[in-house]
């Protein structure tokens, strides 16, 4: 049975890919189901074991310490379900498989480790997809997500942190040198798509998906994250700074999937019955902090004020270019595409 595995990156059209492909008639979909209209809820999956394998096991294991028996059993179960649905093609999608996690992009295994495990499991039956995004835009998008998680530092401080530890921080996921080298390994079928084209060029998107045997002709993207309101983000950043202790109390004990609670939107509060769910004992303090924050933002929604700044000092910008430009150039050469029109510094 043929497998196609979409690995991410996070913040690079993952929800759009999942929305376009989760109901594809050409493949059996396994992975993170789209959350259109409900981005605050926890990710949904076809089964609890799908969630465990994709979110808990694969992102933190390598070939030297993988639970092979459990992983092989999962592969067998997925293929059994696919055959029952009369499919010979399994389509997996979860951006956390890129090795870049949401709660702390500096930990987790590497993309190389995830690919090694999956290639050993599936051999040449597997095709891997990674959607690359222009690094500066990716950093802005990730920073906005961190603000929703309680982060309060300025963007300049965030980028200073990222450039100080390029291989142990957020920048690891968008330094394309290592990714291109993986794509050039003859034993791997790793295809890299360009985010900026994928979201804006229907012909490019349809061609990419058609190469996987997926027909989405005439189908637009079902979801696009809205461009953030810079005034709202600045108010959020300022609130986080004032209430840092509230966030610390809300998140300090969270070491399981409830950490995604910090990406809350209103539907999550309802799903937890205002924090009374006995299965989520850590939810109440986080909900209290979220409710207070959302009430503040609602009160301020009609007011003007300063906008969040994405400016960084010139010396930091030069360091950012020094780290990322070689990877951008290597990516452009690998794809045979001029990436400068899409904002990549080359």
């Amino acid at each position: 049975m043929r497998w196609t595995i979409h690995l991410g990156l996070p913040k690079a059209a993952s929800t759009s890919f999942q929305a376009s492909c989760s109901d594809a008639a050409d493949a059996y979909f396994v992975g993170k189901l789209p959350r259109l209209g409900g981005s605050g809820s926890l990710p949904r999956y076809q089964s609890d074991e799908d969630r465990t394998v994709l979110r808990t096991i694969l992102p933190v294991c390598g070939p030297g310490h993988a639970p092979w028996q459990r992983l092989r059993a999962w592969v067998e179960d997925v293929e059994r379900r696919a055959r029952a649905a009369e499919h010979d093609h399994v389509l997996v999608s979860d951006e956390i498989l890129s090795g870049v996690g949401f709660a702390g992009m500096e930990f987790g295994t590497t993309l190389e480790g995830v690919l090694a495990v999956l290639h050993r499991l599936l051999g040449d039956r597997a095709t891997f997809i990674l959607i690359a995004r222009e690094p500066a835009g990716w950093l802005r998008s990730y920073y906005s997500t961190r603000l929703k998680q309680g982060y309060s530092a300025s963007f300049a401080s965030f980028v200073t942190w990222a450039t100080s530890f390029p291989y142990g921080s957020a920048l690891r996921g968008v330094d394309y040198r290592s990714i291109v080298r993986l794509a050039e390994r003859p034993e791997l079928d790793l295809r890299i798509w360009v985010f900026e084209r994928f979201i804006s060029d229907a012909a490019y998107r349809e061609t990419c998906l058609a190469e996987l045997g997926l027909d989405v002709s005439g189908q637009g993207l079902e979801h696009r994250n809205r461009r953030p309101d810079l005034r709202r983000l600045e108010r959020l950043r300022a609130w986080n700074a004032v209430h840092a202790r509230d966030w610390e109390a809300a998140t300090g004990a969270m070491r399981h999937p409830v950490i995604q609670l910090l990406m809350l939107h209103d539907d999550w509060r309802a799903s937890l019955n205002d924090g009374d769910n006995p299965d989520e004992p850590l939810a109440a303090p986080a909900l209290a902090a979220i409710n207070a924050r959302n009430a503040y933002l609602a009160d301020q929604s009609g007011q003007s004020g300063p906008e969040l700044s994405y400016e960084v000092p010139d010396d930091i910008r030069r360091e950012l270019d020094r780290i990322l430009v070689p990877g951008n150039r290597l990516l452009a050469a690998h794809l045979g595409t001029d990436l400068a029109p899409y904002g990549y510094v080359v």
Side-chain angles (χ1 to χ4, degrees), residues 114-156:
V114 172
L115 284 170
V117 170
L118 289 170
H119 180 67
R120 182 168 166 181
L121 277 172
L122 301 169
D124 58 9
R125 295 186 293 145
T127 296
F128 302 98
I129 303 299
L130 186 134
I131 302 179
R133 181 172 181 176
E134 186 274 315
W138 186 90
L139 282 169
R140 288 192 293 270
S141 183
Y142 172 48
Y143 173 71
S144 298
T145 296
R146 290 299 299 266
L147 292 181
K148 297 173 185 177
Q149 296 171 331
Y151 198 70
S152 61
S154 67
F155 183 69

mmCIF file of all heavy atoms in Angstrom, residues 114-156:
data_model
loop_
_atom_site.group_PDB
_atom_site.id
_atom_site.type_symbol
_atom_site.label_atom_id
_atom_site.label_comp_id
_atom_site.label_asym_id
_atom_site.label_seq_id
_atom_site.Cartn_x
_atom_site.Cartn_y
_atom_site.Cartn_z
ATOM 1 N N VAL A 114 12.726 11.588 12.440
ATOM 2 C CA VAL A 114 11.376 11.173 12.071
ATOM 3 C C VAL A 114 11.392 10.444 10.729
ATOM 4 O O VAL A 114 10.760 9.388 10.561
ATOM 5 C CB VAL A 114 10.445 12.404 12.012
ATOM 6 C CG1 VAL A 114 9.078 12.025 11.446
ATOM 7 C CG2 VAL A 114 10.284 13.009 13.404
ATOM 8 N N LEU A 115 12.131 10.993 9.752
ATOM 9 C CA LEU A 115 12.205 10.348 8.445
ATOM 10 C C LEU A 115 12.854 8.970 8.529
ATOM 11 O O LEU A 115 12.428 8.030 7.843
ATOM 12 C CB LEU A 115 12.985 11.232 7.476
ATOM 13 C CG LEU A 115 12.241 12.458 6.928
ATOM 14 C CD1 LEU A 115 13.198 13.369 6.177
ATOM 15 C CD2 LEU A 115 11.090 12.027 6.026
ATOM 16 N N ALA A 116 13.884 8.850 9.365
ATOM 17 C CA ALA A 116 14.564 7.561 9.497
ATOM 18 C C ALA A 116 13.608 6.491 10.015
ATOM 19 O O ALA A 116 13.594 5.352 9.531
ATOM 20 C CB ALA A 116 15.775 7.704 10.412
ATOM 21 N N VAL A 117 12.794 6.853 11.007
ATOM 22 C CA VAL A 117 11.847 5.895 11.572
ATOM 23 C C VAL A 117 10.781 5.522 10.538
ATOM 24 O O VAL A 117 10.473 4.341 10.317
ATOM 25 C CB VAL A 117 11.206 6.472 12.845
ATOM 26 C CG1 VAL A 117 10.046 5.582 13.312
ATOM 27 C CG2 VAL A 117 12.239 6.603 13.954
ATOM 28 N N LEU A 118 10.209 6.531 9.889
ATOM 29 C CA LEU A 118 9.139 6.259 8.930
ATOM 30 C C LEU A 118 9.658 5.501 7.713
ATOM 31 O O LEU A 118 8.966 4.621 7.173
ATOM 32 C CB LEU A 118 8.484 7.578 8.504
ATOM 33 C CG LEU A 118 7.639 8.247 9.590
ATOM 34 C CD1 LEU A 118 7.225 9.653 9.167
ATOM 35 C CD2 LEU A 118 6.407 7.411 9.912
ATOM 36 N N HIS A 119 10.871 5.816 7.275
ATOM 37 C CA HIS A 119 11.425 5.099 6.124
ATOM 38 C C HIS A 119 11.689 3.633 6.476
ATOM 39 O O HIS A 119 11.448 2.738 5.660
ATOM 40 C CB HIS A 119 12.716 5.769 5.655
ATOM 41 C CG HIS A 119 13.347 5.090 4.479
ATOM 42 N ND1 HIS A 119 12.768 5.072 3.226
ATOM 43 C CD2 HIS A 119 14.500 4.385 4.369
ATOM 44 C CE1 HIS A 119 13.536 4.391 2.402
ATOM 45 N NE2 HIS A 119 14.589 3.957 3.058
ATOM 46 N N ARG A 120 12.144 3.381 7.688
ATOM 47 C CA ARG A 120 12.367 1.998 8.112
ATOM 48 C C ARG A 120 11.047 1.240 8.210
ATOM 49 O O ARG A 120 10.989 0.044 7.890
ATOM 50 C CB ARG A 120 13.093 1.988 9.454
ATOM 51 C CG ARG A 120 13.437 0.589 9.975
ATOM 52 C CD ARG A 120 14.386 0.671 11.134
ATOM 53 N NE ARG A 120 14.473 -0.587 11.860
ATOM 54 C CZ ARG A 120 15.220 -0.787 12.946
ATOM 55 N NH1 ARG A 120 15.972 0.214 13.412
ATOM 56 N NH2 ARG A 120 15.229 -1.941 13.565
ATOM 57 N N LEU A 121 9.994 1.922 8.614
ATOM 58 C CA LEU A 121 8.685 1.285 8.715
ATOM 59 C C LEU A 121 8.080 0.995 7.343
ATOM 60 O O LEU A 121 7.483 -0.066 7.132
ATOM 61 C CB LEU A 121 7.720 2.193 9.485
ATOM 62 C CG LEU A 121 7.731 2.161 11.004
ATOM 63 C CD1 LEU A 121 6.836 3.271 11.545
ATOM 64 C CD2 LEU A 121 7.265 0.807 11.532
ATOM 65 N N LEU A 122 8.229 1.934 6.405
ATOM 66 C CA LEU A 122 7.451 1.888 5.172
ATOM 67 C C LEU A 122 8.282 1.663 3.919
ATOM 68 O O LEU A 122 7.727 1.313 2.872
ATOM 69 C CB LEU A 122 6.658 3.199 5.022
ATOM 70 C CG LEU A 122 5.690 3.513 6.166
ATOM 71 C CD1 LEU A 122 5.181 4.938 6.053
ATOM 72 C CD2 LEU A 122 4.536 2.520 6.184
ATOM 73 N N GLY A 123 9.600 1.877 4.011
ATOM 74 C CA GLY A 123 10.458 1.669 2.849
ATOM 75 C C GLY A 123 10.094 2.588 1.699
ATOM 76 O O GLY A 123 9.655 3.728 1.893
ATOM 77 N N ASP A 124 10.230 2.074 0.480
ATOM 78 C CA ASP A 124 9.993 2.917 -0.689
ATOM 79 C C ASP A 124 8.516 3.065 -1.023
ATOM 80 O O ASP A 124 8.155 3.620 -2.060
ATOM 81 C CB ASP A 124 10.758 2.374 -1.903
ATOM 82 C CG ASP A 124 10.378 0.937 -2.259
ATOM 83 O OD1 ASP A 124 9.410 0.424 -1.673
ATOM 84 O OD2 ASP A 124 11.052 0.353 -3.127
ATOM 85 N N ARG A 125 7.653 2.597 -0.129
ATOM 86 C CA ARG A 125 6.212 2.834 -0.309
ATOM 87 C C ARG A 125 5.825 4.246 0.094
ATOM 88 O O ARG A 125 4.698 4.682 -0.161
ATOM 89 C CB ARG A 125 5.395 1.849 0.519
ATOM 90 C CG ARG A 125 5.549 0.395 0.100
ATOM 91 C CD ARG A 125 4.596 -0.490 0.868
ATOM 92 N NE ARG A 125 4.904 -0.584 2.288
ATOM 93 C CZ ARG A 125 4.012 -0.687 3.261
ATOM 94 N NH1 ARG A 125 2.727 -0.681 2.974
ATOM 95 N NH2 ARG A 125 4.384 -0.792 4.515
ATOM 96 N N ALA A 126 6.730 4.987 0.752
ATOM 97 C CA ALA A 126 6.384 6.276 1.339
ATOM 98 C C ALA A 126 6.927 7.434 0.512
ATOM 99 O O ALA A 126 8.082 7.435 0.085
ATOM 100 C CB ALA A 126 6.932 6.367 2.761
ATOM 101 N N THR A 127 6.070 8.425 0.314
ATOM 102 C CA THR A 127 6.462 9.726 -0.235
ATOM 103 C C THR A 127 6.239 10.764 0.856
ATOM 104 O O THR A 127 5.185 10.773 1.507
ATOM 105 C CB THR A 127 5.611 10.085 -1.464
ATOM 106 O OG1 THR A 127 5.867 9.137 -2.497
ATOM 107 C CG2 THR A 127 5.931 11.483 -1.965
ATOM 108 N N PHE A 128 7.235 11.633 1.055
ATOM 109 C CA PHE A 128 7.168 12.641 2.112
ATOM 110 C C PHE A 128 7.025 14.036 1.503
ATOM 111 O O PHE A 128 7.657 14.355 0.493
ATOM 112 C CB PHE A 128 8.420 12.579 2.988
ATOM 113 C CG PHE A 128 8.638 11.236 3.639
ATOM 114 C CD1 PHE A 128 9.515 10.316 3.094
ATOM 115 C CD2 PHE A 128 7.938 10.891 4.784
ATOM 116 C CE1 PHE A 128 9.708 9.076 3.679
ATOM 117 C CE2 PHE A 128 8.113 9.652 5.379
ATOM 118 C CZ PHE A 128 9.004 8.745 4.824
ATOM 119 N N ILE A 129 6.195 14.853 2.144
ATOM 120 C CA ILE A 129 5.953 16.216 1.689
ATOM 121 C C ILE A 129 6.303 17.188 2.805
ATOM 122 O O ILE A 129 5.906 17.003 3.961
ATOM 123 C CB ILE A 129 4.461 16.423 1.313
ATOM 124 C CG1 ILE A 129 4.027 15.426 0.246
ATOM 125 C CG2 ILE A 129 4.217 17.862 0.860
ATOM 126 C CD1 ILE A 129 4.776 15.536 -1.055
ATOM 127 N N LEU A 130 7.059 18.227 2.470
ATOM 128 C CA LEU A 130 7.326 19.312 3.416
ATOM 129 C C LEU A 130 7.076 20.634 2.706
ATOM 130 O O LEU A 130 7.574 20.853 1.599
ATOM 131 C CB LEU A 130 8.754 19.248 3.934
ATOM 132 C CG LEU A 130 9.048 20.263 5.045
ATOM 133 C CD1 LEU A 130 9.788 19.610 6.211
ATOM 134 C CD2 LEU A 130 9.839 21.447 4.516
ATOM 135 N N ILE A 131 6.279 21.494 3.321
ATOM 136 C CA ILE A 131 5.982 22.808 2.746
ATOM 137 C C ILE A 131 6.873 23.843 3.421
ATOM 138 O O ILE A 131 6.794 24.058 4.633
ATOM 139 C CB ILE A 131 4.494 23.171 2.919
ATOM 140 C CG1 ILE A 131 3.612 22.095 2.255
ATOM 141 C CG2 ILE A 131 4.205 24.536 2.315
ATOM 142 C CD1 ILE A 131 2.123 22.342 2.379
ATOM 143 N N ALA A 132 7.751 24.449 2.619
ATOM 144 C CA ALA A 132 8.694 25.449 3.122
ATOM 145 C C ALA A 132 8.062 26.839 3.058
ATOM 146 O O ALA A 132 7.265 27.129 2.158
ATOM 147 C CB ALA A 132 9.973 25.429 2.285
ATOM 148 N N ARG A 133 8.438 27.675 4.005
ATOM 149 C CA ARG A 133 7.938 29.056 4.042
ATOM 150 C C ARG A 133 9.097 30.024 4.210
ATOM 151 O O ARG A 133 10.085 29.692 4.872
ATOM 152 C CB ARG A 133 6.937 29.223 5.194
ATOM 153 C CG ARG A 133 6.337 30.623 5.290
ATOM 154 C CD ARG A 133 5.219 30.692 6.313
ATOM 155 N NE ARG A 133 4.650 32.025 6.372
ATOM 156 C CZ ARG A 133 3.603 32.373 7.125
ATOM 157 N NH1 ARG A 133 3.026 31.455 7.886
ATOM 158 N NH2 ARG A 133 3.151 33.606 7.115
ATOM 159 N N GLU A 134 8.970 31.211 3.614
ATOM 160 C CA GLU A 134 10.007 32.228 3.738
ATOM 161 C C GLU A 134 10.294 32.469 5.213
ATOM 162 O O GLU A 134 9.369 32.707 5.998
ATOM 163 C CB GLU A 134 9.547 33.513 3.040
ATOM 164 C CG GLU A 134 10.575 34.608 2.969
ATOM 165 C CD GLU A 134 10.568 35.472 4.207
ATOM 166 O OE1 GLU A 134 9.475 35.848 4.656
ATOM 167 O OE2 GLU A 134 11.680 35.749 4.728
ATOM 168 N N PRO A 135 11.563 32.368 5.641
ATOM 169 C CA PRO A 135 11.876 32.321 7.076
ATOM 170 C C PRO A 135 11.400 33.519 7.885
ATOM 171 O O PRO A 135 10.895 33.343 8.999
ATOM 172 C CB PRO A 135 13.404 32.210 7.090
ATOM 173 C CG PRO A 135 13.742 31.521 5.820
ATOM 174 C CD PRO A 135 12.758 32.060 4.825
ATOM 175 N N ALA A 136 11.543 34.737 7.370
ATOM 176 C CA ALA A 136 11.136 35.904 8.158
ATOM 177 C C ALA A 136 9.623 35.902 8.385
ATOM 178 O O ALA A 136 9.139 36.204 9.481
ATOM 179 C CB ALA A 136 11.583 37.191 7.471
ATOM 180 N N GLY A 137 8.867 35.560 7.333
ATOM 181 C CA GLY A 137 7.414 35.474 7.490
ATOM 182 C C GLY A 137 7.020 34.367 8.436
ATOM 183 O O GLY A 137 6.069 34.496 9.222
ATOM 184 N N TRP A 138 7.757 33.246 8.383
ATOM 185 C CA TRP A 138 7.488 32.142 9.296
ATOM 186 C C TRP A 138 7.732 32.574 10.737
ATOM 187 O O TRP A 138 6.943 32.260 11.641
ATOM 188 C CB TRP A 138 8.370 30.953 8.939
ATOM 189 C CG TRP A 138 8.067 29.728 9.731
ATOM 190 C CD1 TRP A 138 7.187 28.748 9.419
ATOM 191 C CD2 TRP A 138 8.643 29.353 10.988
ATOM 192 N NE1 TRP A 138 7.174 27.775 10.397
ATOM 193 C CE2 TRP A 138 8.066 28.134 11.370
ATOM 194 C CE3 TRP A 138 9.593 29.936 11.820
ATOM 195 C CZ2 TRP A 138 8.399 27.482 12.549
ATOM 196 C CZ3 TRP A 138 9.928 29.289 13.006
ATOM 197 C CH2 TRP A 138 9.338 28.077 13.360
ATOM 198 N N LEU A 139 8.816 33.301 10.978
ATOM 199 C CA LEU A 139 9.115 33.761 12.335
ATOM 200 C C LEU A 139 8.037 34.707 12.846
ATOM 201 O O LEU A 139 7.641 34.639 14.016
ATOM 202 C CB LEU A 139 10.480 34.455 12.368
ATOM 203 C CG LEU A 139 11.702 33.540 12.370
ATOM 204 C CD1 LEU A 139 12.963 34.362 12.136
ATOM 205 C CD2 LEU A 139 11.802 32.764 13.673
ATOM 206 N N ARG A 140 7.543 35.595 11.983
ATOM 207 C CA ARG A 140 6.475 36.503 12.419
ATOM 208 C C ARG A 140 5.224 35.718 12.792
ATOM 209 O O ARG A 140 4.567 36.016 13.795
ATOM 210 C CB ARG A 140 6.166 37.519 11.312
ATOM 211 C CG ARG A 140 7.236 38.576 11.124
ATOM 212 C CD ARG A 140 6.753 39.710 10.240
ATOM 213 N NE ARG A 140 6.536 39.281 8.865
ATOM 214 C CZ ARG A 140 7.455 39.313 7.914
ATOM 215 N NH1 ARG A 140 8.671 39.763 8.198
ATOM 216 N NH2 ARG A 140 7.173 38.920 6.688
ATOM 217 N N SER A 141 4.902 34.710 11.988
ATOM 218 C CA SER A 141 3.708 33.915 12.268
ATOM 219 C C SER A 141 3.868 33.127 13.562
ATOM 220 O O SER A 141 2.939 33.051 14.382
ATOM 221 C CB SER A 141 3.448 32.965 11.093
ATOM 222 O OG SER A 141 2.272 32.216 11.294
ATOM 223 N N TYR A 142 5.041 32.537 13.759
ATOM 224 C CA TYR A 142 5.275 31.786 14.991
ATOM 225 C C TYR A 142 5.264 32.705 16.201
ATOM 226 O O TYR A 142 4.710 32.372 17.251
ATOM 227 C CB TYR A 142 6.596 31.026 14.897
ATOM 228 C CG TYR A 142 7.001 30.366 16.207
ATOM 229 C CD1 TYR A 142 6.090 29.613 16.926
ATOM 230 C CD2 TYR A 142 8.286 30.515 16.711
ATOM 231 C CE1 TYR A 142 6.446 29.022 18.123
ATOM 232 C CE2 TYR A 142 8.649 29.923 17.914
ATOM 233 C CZ TYR A 142 7.727 29.182 18.610
ATOM 234 O OH TYR A 142 8.080 28.611 19.797
ATOM 235 N N TYR A 143 5.845 33.897 16.063
ATOM 236 C CA TYR A 143 5.840 34.859 17.165
ATOM 237 C C TYR A 143 4.404 35.229 17.547
ATOM 238 O O TYR A 143 4.073 35.318 18.740
ATOM 239 C CB TYR A 143 6.625 36.099 16.757
ATOM 240 C CG TYR A 143 6.561 37.233 17.758
ATOM 241 C CD1 TYR A 143 7.216 37.154 18.984
ATOM 242 C CD2 TYR A 143 5.855 38.391 17.462
ATOM 243 C CE1 TYR A 143 7.164 38.200 19.895
ATOM 244 C CE2 TYR A 143 5.789 39.437 18.365
ATOM 245 C CZ TYR A 143 6.450 39.342 19.583
ATOM 246 O OH TYR A 143 6.387 40.376 20.477
ATOM 247 N N SER A 144 3.546 35.420 16.549
ATOM 248 C CA SER A 144 2.144 35.725 16.849
ATOM 249 C C SER A 144 1.495 34.597 17.640
ATOM 250 O O SER A 144 0.707 34.835 18.561
ATOM 251 C CB SER A 144 1.369 35.970 15.550
ATOM 252 O OG SER A 144 1.891 37.077 14.850
ATOM 253 N N THR A 145 1.834 33.356 17.281
ATOM 254 C CA THR A 145 1.315 32.214 18.034
ATOM 255 C C THR A 145 1.829 32.234 19.462
ATOM 256 O O THR A 145 1.080 31.950 20.408
ATOM 257 C CB THR A 145 1.718 30.901 17.344
ATOM 258 O OG1 THR A 145 1.102 30.842 16.057
ATOM 259 C CG2 THR A 145 1.293 29.693 18.160
ATOM 260 N N ARG A 146 3.096 32.566 19.640
ATOM 261 C CA ARG A 146 3.644 32.628 20.993
ATOM 262 C C ARG A 146 2.944 33.686 21.835
ATOM 263 O O ARG A 146 2.751 33.502 23.045
ATOM 264 C CB ARG A 146 5.150 32.909 20.937
ATOM 265 C CG ARG A 146 6.004 31.767 20.404
ATOM 266 C CD ARG A 146 5.908 30.510 21.248
ATOM 267 N NE ARG A 146 6.360 30.685 22.602
ATOM 268 C CZ ARG A 146 7.586 30.434 23.047
ATOM 269 N NH1 ARG A 146 8.498 29.989 22.201
ATOM 270 N NH2 ARG A 146 7.903 30.612 24.308
ATOM 271 N N LEU A 147 2.550 34.801 21.224
ATOM 272 C CA LEU A 147 1.797 35.812 21.970
ATOM 273 C C LEU A 147 0.483 35.227 22.485
ATOM 274 O O LEU A 147 0.062 35.512 23.613
ATOM 275 C CB LEU A 147 1.519 37.035 21.098
ATOM 276 C CG LEU A 147 2.723 37.880 20.699
ATOM 277 C CD1 LEU A 147 2.270 39.061 19.848
ATOM 278 C CD2 LEU A 147 3.503 38.379 21.914
ATOM 279 N N LYS A 148 -0.165 34.401 21.681
ATOM 280 C CA LYS A 148 -1.407 33.761 22.114
ATOM 281 C C LYS A 148 -1.153 32.777 23.245
ATOM 282 O O LYS A 148 -2.069 32.443 23.996
ATOM 283 C CB LYS A 148 -2.068 33.049 20.934
ATOM 284 C CG LYS A 148 -2.482 33.990 19.814
ATOM 285 C CD LYS A 148 -2.969 33.203 18.606
ATOM 286 C CE LYS A 148 -3.258 34.122 17.445
ATOM 287 N NZ LYS A 148 -3.677 33.362 16.236
ATOM 288 N N GLN A 149 0.092 32.316 23.383
ATOM 289 C CA GLN A 149 0.452 31.371 24.438
ATOM 290 C C GLN A 149 0.930 32.066 25.699
ATOM 291 O O GLN A 149 1.287 31.397 26.663
ATOM 292 C CB GLN A 149 1.555 30.432 23.934
ATOM 293 C CG GLN A 149 1.130 29.544 22.785
ATOM 294 C CD GLN A 149 2.310 28.798 22.175
ATOM 295 O OE1 GLN A 149 3.436 29.280 22.202
ATOM 296 N NE2 GLN A 149 2.050 27.635 21.640
ATOM 297 N N GLY A 150 0.954 33.400 25.713
ATOM 298 C CA GLY A 150 1.367 34.113 26.904
ATOM 299 C C GLY A 150 2.710 34.797 26.810
ATOM 300 O O GLY A 150 3.176 35.407 27.775
ATOM 301 N N TYR A 151 3.367 34.736 25.680
ATOM 302 C CA TYR A 151 4.677 35.357 25.488
ATOM 303 C C TYR A 151 4.524 36.873 25.549
ATOM 304 O O TYR A 151 3.525 37.428 25.101
ATOM 305 C CB TYR A 151 5.214 34.928 24.128
ATOM 306 C CG TYR A 151 6.693 35.093 23.900
ATOM 307 C CD1 TYR A 151 7.617 34.292 24.548
ATOM 308 C CD2 TYR A 151 7.159 36.053 23.002
ATOM 309 C CE1 TYR A 151 8.974 34.419 24.309
ATOM 310 C CE2 TYR A 151 8.518 36.181 22.742
ATOM 311 C CZ TYR A 151 9.420 35.371 23.406
ATOM 312 O OH TYR A 151 10.760 35.505 23.168
ATOM 313 N N SER A 152 5.526 37.576 26.084
ATOM 314 C CA SER A 152 5.387 39.023 26.237
ATOM 315 C C SER A 152 6.562 39.825 25.704
ATOM 316 O O SER A 152 6.493 41.053 25.661
ATOM 317 C CB SER A 152 5.191 39.374 27.724
ATOM 318 O OG SER A 152 6.309 38.953 28.490
ATOM 319 N N ALA A 153 7.638 39.168 25.308
ATOM 320 C CA ALA A 153 8.795 39.906 24.799
ATOM 321 C C ALA A 153 8.483 40.511 23.430
ATOM 322 O O ALA A 153 7.583 40.061 22.718
ATOM 323 C CB ALA A 153 10.003 38.979 24.693
ATOM 324 N N SER A 154 9.248 41.529 23.060
ATOM 325 C CA SER A 154 9.089 42.146 21.748
ATOM 326 C C SER A 154 9.575 41.196 20.659
ATOM 327 O O SER A 154 10.307 40.237 20.916
ATOM 328 C CB SER A 154 9.887 43.449 21.675
ATOM 329 O OG SER A 154 11.281 43.164 21.723
ATOM 330 N N PHE A 155 9.173 41.490 19.426
ATOM 331 C CA PHE A 155 9.635 40.667 18.303
ATOM 332 C C PHE A 155 11.149 40.748 18.170
ATOM 333 O O PHE A 155 11.808 39.747 17.870
ATOM 334 C CB PHE A 155 8.961 41.127 17.007
ATOM 335 C CG PHE A 155 9.329 40.286 15.813
ATOM 336 C CD1 PHE A 155 8.903 38.977 15.706
ATOM 337 C CD2 PHE A 155 10.111 40.818 14.791
ATOM 338 C CE1 PHE A 155 9.233 38.197 14.601
ATOM 339 C CE2 PHE A 155 10.456 40.051 13.692
ATOM 340 C CZ PHE A 155 10.020 38.743 13.590
ATOM 341 N N ALA A 156 11.718 41.934 18.408
ATOM 342 C CA ALA A 156 13.170 42.078 18.329
ATOM 343 C C ALA A 156 13.861 41.166 19.339
ATOM 344 O O ALA A 156 14.868 40.523 19.030
ATOM 345 C CB ALA A 156 13.571 43.530 18.555
#
